[in-house]
Amino acid sequence: QVQLVESGGGLVQAGGSLRLSCAASERSFRIAVMGWFRQVPGKEREVAATIGWSSRITYYADSVKGRFTISRDNAKNTVYLQMNSLKSEDTAVYYCAASSRFRTGSPLVTDFNSWGQGTQVTVSS
């Protein structure tokens, strides 16, 4: 429904940083929640972080809490994921996602109906 385009992935050494960006084709008022998910071969897609419209409500998976920061610029229809202190286990394809509705509780893949094509993040040890 909403076109999402990710950028910023690449190869980085453990302990390094990357910033992912995701540009949405729709106006921000139509996207209640945006988020970042990640997936590795043979495993289910899992949430990394999500953010509400006002940027006041965020969610972080325990595995990234304290290392990743999600932010949102509604004027640019863009969401970012700043990834610091990267670990080898962060290696995955990272997907931007958008949802038209907000709910409380831990975000699920099924909450999001629009997805980007994904960007590869590889962390070398």
Side-chain angles (χ1 to χ4, degrees):
Q1 186 175 4
V2 178
Q3 183 177 352
L4 303 171
V5 181
E6 304 101 329
S7 62
L11 175 65
V12 65
Q13 292 185 336
S17 299
L18 284 174
R19 190 178 79 154
L20 306 182
S21 299
C22 173
S25 63
E26 299 290 335
R27 301 290 187 184
S28 62
F29 70 85
R30 295 181 61 185
I31 306 175
V33 182
M34 299 188 73
W36 290 94
F37 290 73
R38 61 188 187 180
Q39 187 170 27
V40 299
K43 299 187 66 177
E44 295 183 349
R45 190 171 299 185
E46 64 179 17
V47 64
T50 64
I51 187 167
W53 184 90
S54 69
S55 298
R56 295 173 181 172
I57 300 176
T58 58
Y59 172 88
Y60 294 95
D62 289 341
S63 58
V64 309
K65 194 173 300 182
R67 300 187 298 117
F68 290 11
T69 302
I70 189 170
S71 60
R72 180 173 181 171
D73 186 340
N74 290 336
K76 298 181 179 180
N77 297 326
T78 301
V79 65
Y80 306 92
L81 186 67
Q82 178 66 46
M83 304 184 293
N84 298 326
S85 301
L86 283 163
K87 306 173 181 179
S88 60
E89 52 262 42
D90 295 318
T91 296
V93 176
Y94 283 71
Y95 296 91
C96 180
S99 174
S100 61
R101 60 190 298 174
F102 173 87
R103 69 166 181 83
T104 58
S106 300
L108 305 173
V109 169
T110 52
D111 292 327
F112 296 80
N113 54 8
S114 298
W115 296 87
Q117 81 287 352
T119 185
Q120 177 71 46
V121 172
T122 302
V123 183
S124 62
S125 60

